[in-house]
Amino acid sequence: MGHRANLIIVRNHSYELYYSHWCANTLPKNIFWGEQYAIKFIEMQTKVDESRWLNDAWAEGGAILDADKKM
């Protein structure tokens, strides 16, 4: 069991994928404090490639942080 989440950081017209087994249910409070805090939080998770990307049956949450567009 877990609270699995896919996380993405978009920078310089590219992206990095991250995975967390435990943060899907706490994502709102983990990224609430703004871009710099959210980037640090996401980068503390496990960096993965597309082969470890969870599909909609396994992912229980997710977030995209687009540093290029400040979104």
Side-chain angles (χ1 to χ4, degrees), residues 50-67:
E50 291 180 13
S51 69
R52 295 200 43 213
W53 191 245
L54 300 174
N55 63 23
D56 59 353
W58 289 100
E60 298 161 312
I64 300 174
L65 188 145
D66 190 331

Side-chain angles (χ1 to χ4, degrees), residues 5-38:
N6 290 320
L7 307 161
I8 303 174
I9 298 176
V10 177
R11 282 188 273 219
N12 302 321
H13 306 289
S14 185
Y15 62 90
E16 298 170 330
L17 305 176
Y18 294 85
Y19 164 79
S20 174
H21 192 79
W22 300 108
C23 82
N25 64 334
T26 60
L27 268 176
K29 73 176 184 179
N30 293 329
I31 62 174
F32 173 80
W33 300 104
E35 177 184 0
Q36 293 308 311
Y37 183 86

Side-chain angles (χ1 to χ4, degrees), residues 38-50:
I39 287 173
K40 288 178 186 176
F41 171 77
I42 293 171
E43 289 177 337
M44 290 182 347
Q45 310 313 310
T46 304
K47 191 171 185 180
V48 296
D49 63 22
E50 291 180 13

